[in-house]
């Protein structure tokens, strides 16, 4: 439609130009007969004798002027429409992009994107200013180097020729070690910051206590001496049971995953009688095999078969507190439950022994009578 309008406008402009030329020739009285005929055809058959300056000349001139005005108006209208369309599109696009709500949303998104890396950098800087904590995942023995452990730097900055404490061992103790060298992606480095994975060569500072690969396991840590680390067997946590086919009760055992710690733990106390899927509770776990190094705020996952649950460590009960409380620190409900279970087992054993005793008594009496009869017959 736009091309058709443009062609019509060009045709009208050509006709107007011809009409204006014809009018000027009539005024100068030098127009030929052919121009007169064309002028008469354009002017709609106005006066054929326009050579003389007669009143019939004015319609031709006026017609040419009117035609030129019409063509200019048509061209102006088309240009105005096109400009309106372009301006309308631009205004609509600008209004759509510069509308206050969308503009505010875009600004908020850009702020969020700008703040996200800043928060990560702040977290890394905060972790770097804390005492060093290196979590061990694997162990190696390299010829010419000795014992090498690999893992992640959880907090702080790890430096070469730095003294640290390694543990907890099977007895819950920590030993002083020296960090001889550090490698990140098989490249020797002088230090490793929080969040990096690296391999560390260790050396014991006590000549009487040599480090062996069999003594190092996953879940041990290498921490700064300023931390004064302590191992523990018990801790309290707030847990959420994601799924369990039946119920969770006292003495329930599951595998606890807390950081790099993987060990079976027993549920020794909780604030409810039983837990089912979707329940929340405050419970107390006890590691079955050996003590571990954990701290408040760590997240944990416990699982056993198809049962799964999550939680967070809220309190750590250290060895000194456990020794003072010992096993008698269990709740009164747990003690009563154990006593009742022992009584029930004893009663079942007694009922199971009674029929056997009766049968044995009959056999003994029968054997006694047969023995007396045989003795009398011999006599």
């Amino acid at each position: 439609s736009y091309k058709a309008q443009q062609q019509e406008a060009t045709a009208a402009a050509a006709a107007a130009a011809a009409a204006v030329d014809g009018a000027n020739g009539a005024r100068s009285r030098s127009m030929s007969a052919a121009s007169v005929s064309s002028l008469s055809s354009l002017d709609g058959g106005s006066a054929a004798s326009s050579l003389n300056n007669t009143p019939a000349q004015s319609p031709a001139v006026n017609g040419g002027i009117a035609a030129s005005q019409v063509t200019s108006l048509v061209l102006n209208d088309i240009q105005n429409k096109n400009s309106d369309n372009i301006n309308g599109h631009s205004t609509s696009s600008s209004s759509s992009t510069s509308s206050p709500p969308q503009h505010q949303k875009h600004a908020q998104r850009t702020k969020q994107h700008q703040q996200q890396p800043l928060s990560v950098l702040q977290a890394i800087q905060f972790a770097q200013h804390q005492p060093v904590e290196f979590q061990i995942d694997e162990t190696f023995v390299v010829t010419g180097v000795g014992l090498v452990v690999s893992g992640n730097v959880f907090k702080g900055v790890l430096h070469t020729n730095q003294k640290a404490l390694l543990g907890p061992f099977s007895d819950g103790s920590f030993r002083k070690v020296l960090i001889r060298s550090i490698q990140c992606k098989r490249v020797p480095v002088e230090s490793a910051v929080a969040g990096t994975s690296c391999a560390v060569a260790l050396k014991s500072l006590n000549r009487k206590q040599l480090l062996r690969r069999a003594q190092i396991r996953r879940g041990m840590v290498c921490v700064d001496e300023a931390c004064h680390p302590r191992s523990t067997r018990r801790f309290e946590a707030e847990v959420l049971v994601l799924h369990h086919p039946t119920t969770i009760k006292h003495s329930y055992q599951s595998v606890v995953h807390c950081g790099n710690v993987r060990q079976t733990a027993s549920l020794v106390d909780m604030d409810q009688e039983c837990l089912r899927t979707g329940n929340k509770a405050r419970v107390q776990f006890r590691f079955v095999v050996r003590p571990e190094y954990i701290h408040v705020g760590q997240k944990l996952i416990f699982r056993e078969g198809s049962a799964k649950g999550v939680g967070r460590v809220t309190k750590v009960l250290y060895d000194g507190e456990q020794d003072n409380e010992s096993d008698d620190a269990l709740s009164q409900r747990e003690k009563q439950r154990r006593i009742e279970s022992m009584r029930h087992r004893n009663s079942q054993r007694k009922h199971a022994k009674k029929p056997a005793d009766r049968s044995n008594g009959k056999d003994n009496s029968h054997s006694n009578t047969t023995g007396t009869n045989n003795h009398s017959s011999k006599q």
Side-chain angles (χ1 to χ4, degrees):
S1 61
Y2 175 73
K3 290 182 179 180
Q5 290 177 0
Q6 194 171 9
Q7 291 176 358
E8 291 177 359
T10 53
V20 171
D21 293 336
N24 292 328
R27 286 178 182 179
S28 61
R29 297 180 181 179
S30 62
M31 180 180 281
S32 61
S35 63
V36 171
S37 62
S38 63
L39 181 63
S40 62
S41 64
L42 291 172
D43 293 336
S46 59
S49 61
S50 59
L51 295 175
N52 297 323
N53 193 5
T54 57
Q57 181 182 1
S58 59
V61 175
N62 293 330
I65 295 169
S68 63
Q69 291 178 354
V70 169
T71 53
S72 63
L73 289 174
V74 170
L75 288 173
N76 291 330
D77 190 16
I78 293 171
Q79 291 177 359
N80 292 329
K81 285 182 180 180
N82 294 332
S83 62
D84 290 337
N85 292 330
I86 295 170
N87 293 329
H89 180 69
S90 62
T91 53
S92 63
S93 62
S94 62
S95 62
S96 63
T97 55
S98 63
S99 60
Q102 293 182 358
H103 182 68
Q104 292 177 0
K105 290 180 180 179
H106 181 67
Q108 291 176 359
R109 289 175 183 173
T110 53
K111 286 182 180 180
Q112 289 177 0
H113 287 300
Q114 290 176 358
Q115 291 177 359
Q116 190 173 3
L118 292 177
S119 62
V120 173
L121 291 174
Q122 290 176 357
I124 293 173
Q125 291 177 358
F126 177 75
Q128 290 178 1
H129 290 292
Q130 291 183 346
V132 65
E133 179 179 342
F134 178 73
Q135 297 179 350
I136 297 174
D137 289 332
E138 295 181 1
T139 60
F140 308 94
V141 176
V142 181
T143 57
V145 178
L147 181 64
V148 177
V149 296
S150 65
N152 299 318
V153 181
F154 186 69
K155 292 187 298 184
V157 182
L158 196 66
H159 299 278
T160 56
N161 299 324
Q162 180 182 0
K163 296 180 181 180
L165 294 176
L166 177 65
F169 290 86
S170 58
D171 57 350
S173 63
F174 287 81
R175 299 179 185 177
K176 292 184 178 181
V177 294
L178 178 67
I179 299 172
R180 299 174 60 185
S181 61
I182 304 172
Q183 284 191 358
C184 292
K185 297 182 180 179
R186 298 187 179 184
V187 177
V189 294
E190 293 294 329
S191 62
V193 299
T196 59
S197 177
C198 59
V200 179
L202 300 177
K203 178 184 177 181
S204 178
L205 293 178
N206 190 354
R207 295 181 179 180
K208 295 181 180 180
Q209 295 178 346
L210 298 178
L211 293 178
R212 299 178 181 177
R213 185 182 179 185
Q215 297 175 343
I216 312 300
R217 55 178 174 78
R218 183 177 185 179
M220 298 177 68
V221 294
C222 190
V223 296
D224 194 358
E225 295 180 353
C227 294
H228 302 289
R230 298 172 63 185
S231 61
T232 181
R233 278 184 176 268
R234 292 189 182 184
F235 64 93
E236 292 183 358
E238 293 179 353
V239 298
L240 169 64
V241 181
L242 299 177
H243 173 71
H244 196 278
T246 56
T247 58
I248 296 175
K249 296 183 180 180
H250 291 273
S251 302
Y252 170 77
Q253 291 187 355
S254 61
V255 179
V256 174
H257 303 257
C258 185
N260 62 336
V261 175
R262 310 284 189 276
Q263 190 180 155
T264 303
S266 177
L267 197 152
V268 295
D269 193 11
M270 59 182 178
D271 58 356
Q272 299 181 16
E273 293 183 358
C274 62
L275 296 177
R276 294 183 176 86
T277 302
N279 290 352
K280 292 182 180 180
R282 185 184 293 273
V283 300
Q284 185 180 134
F285 285 102
R286 183 181 186 276
F287 289 118
V288 175
V289 182
R290 54 186 171 269
E292 298 288 355
Y293 177 75
I294 59 174
H295 48 80
V296 177
Q298 279 187 314
K299 297 179 181 180
L300 62 91
I301 299 172
F302 63 93
R303 61 181 182 84
E304 183 263 328
S306 62
K308 297 178 182 64
V310 296
R312 184 175 62 87
V313 179
T314 58
K315 185 178 180 181
V316 179
L317 302 175
Y318 292 103
D319 296 337
E321 299 175 1
Q322 295 174 12
D323 292 337
N324 294 331
E325 296 179 356
S326 67
D327 292 336
D328 296 334
L330 295 173
S331 63
Q332 192 67 26
R333 293 177 296 178
E334 181 67 16
K335 292 180 180 179
Q336 191 67 25
R337 190 187 65 81
R338 289 185 178 184
I339 292 169
E340 290 178 357
S341 63
M342 290 174 66
R343 289 177 181 176
H344 183 66
R345 289 175 184 175
N346 292 333
S347 63
Q348 286 182 350
R349 289 175 183 175
K350 289 180 181 179
H351 289 298
K353 287 181 179 180
K354 283 181 181 180
D357 293 339
R358 291 175 182 174
S359 61
N360 291 332
K362 290 181 180 179
D363 295 337
N364 292 331
S365 62
H366 180 68
S367 62
N368 291 331
T369 53
T370 53
T372 53
N373 294 331
N374 292 331
H375 183 69
S376 61
S377 62
K378 286 180 180 179
Q379 290 178 352

